[in-house]
């Protein structure tokens, strides 16, 4: 993997409101157009988190989401923006990052999330399965989507894709 594809610096604080996400996505998309750079949107869906809430409680699920956020933030650059999007989903905006570079981090993040053992505080350890999706500008089409599982893509007015929720 080339040096310019490594995404390892810590991210900034985790914004969690949809308005912040859409504002930042719009901002980065306009920057990409203006400076003729790439921007990639990474989607991470955590499967079976609702079952964990039902079986072990909301506190355990919140601790798990905090750990997932820490894992993600320690493996992306400080210029990347991470957002909690829904109860069990993260969106990461990767400015100046073509799809090929963004896709190179998915196997590492998947392994780190799957291998992490989340304690429920009762002597049981829980594991999660992440599902990923990518959409890139420029040159986004169905062939540029990394599919760890089925990802539904819908084009928007701004020509960048919005990733619909992945079914686990």
């Amino acid at each position: 993997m080339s040096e310019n594809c490594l995404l390892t610096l810590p991210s900034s604080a985790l914004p969690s409101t949809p308005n912040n996400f859409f504002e930042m996505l719009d901002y980065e998309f306009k920057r990409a157009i203006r400076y003729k750079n790439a921007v990639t949107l990474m989607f991470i869906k955590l499967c079976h988190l609702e079952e964990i809430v039902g079986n072990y409680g909301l506190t355990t699920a919140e601790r798990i989401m905090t750990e997932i956020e820490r894992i993600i933030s320690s493996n992306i650059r400080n210029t990347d923006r991470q957002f909690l999007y829904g109860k069990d989903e993260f969106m990461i905006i990767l400015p100046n990052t073509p799809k090929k570079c963004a896709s190179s981090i998915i196997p590492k993040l998947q392994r780190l999330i799957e291998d992490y053992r989340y304690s429920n505080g009762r002597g049981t350890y829980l594991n999660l399965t992440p599902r990923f999706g990518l959409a890139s500008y420029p040159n986004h089409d169905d062939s540029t989507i990394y599919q760890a599982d089925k990802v539904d893509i819908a084009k928007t007015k701004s020509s960048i894709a919005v990733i619909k929720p992945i079914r686990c």
Side-chain angles (χ1 to χ4, degrees):
M1 176 169 33
S2 68
E3 187 68 24
N4 61 356
C5 287
L6 296 177
L7 308 173
T8 57
L9 297 175
S11 71
S12 62
L14 180 69
S16 61
T17 62
N19 287 341
N20 289 346
F21 166 71
F22 289 112
E23 289 170 11
M24 185 58 70
L25 182 61
D26 185 58
Y27 172 77
E28 291 298 343
F29 182 72
K30 287 175 180 173
R31 279 190 50 207
I33 292 170
R34 182 174 47 239
Y35 297 113
K36 297 179 180 17
N37 288 328
V39 63
T40 298
L41 176 64
M42 181 183 292
F43 176 84
I44 304 172
K45 164 87 171 167
L46 301 174
C47 297
H48 312 297
L49 193 67
E50 288 181 24
E51 292 172 27
I52 291 172
V53 170
N55 293 329
Y56 302 102
L58 187 57
T59 303
T60 298
E62 288 173 348
R63 281 198 335 259
I64 289 171
M65 291 300 284
T66 300
E67 284 301 309
I68 298 285
E69 188 278 328
R70 185 191 57 75
I71 289 169
I72 294 168
S73 67
S74 65
N75 286 282
I76 62 176
R77 304 168 298 185
N78 62 355
T79 56
D80 300 333
R81 297 291 177 248
Q82 178 181 184
F83 298 85
L84 182 60
Y85 192 84
K87 298 175 204 169
D88 57 359
E89 303 157 347
F90 290 94
M91 293 286 204
I92 304 168
I93 301 171
L94 304 153
N96 302 315
T97 307
K99 178 200 138 276
K100 183 177 178 181
C101 290
S103 66
S104 70
I105 195 170
I106 289 176
K108 180 180 180 182
L109 284 174
Q110 184 164 6
R111 181 181 45 78
L112 289 169
I113 293 168
E114 286 177 348
D115 290 350
Y116 192 86
R117 293 174 38 148
Y118 306 96
S119 173
N120 71 349
R122 301 179 205 162
T124 303
Y125 290 92
L126 311 169
N127 294 80
L128 287 176
T129 302
R131 296 288 180 246
F132 294 83
L134 288 180
S136 301
Y137 173 84
N139 302 324
H140 174 75
D141 61 28
D142 288 340
S143 66
T144 65
I145 300 164
Y146 179 96
Q147 293 191 355
D149 207 58
K150 183 175 178 170
V151 179
D152 296 321
I153 301 297
K155 301 272 183 171
T156 66
K157 292 178 191 173
S158 60
S159 299
I160 195 164
V162 173
I163 303 174
K164 296 178 182 177
I166 299 170
R167 293 185 186 99
C168 294

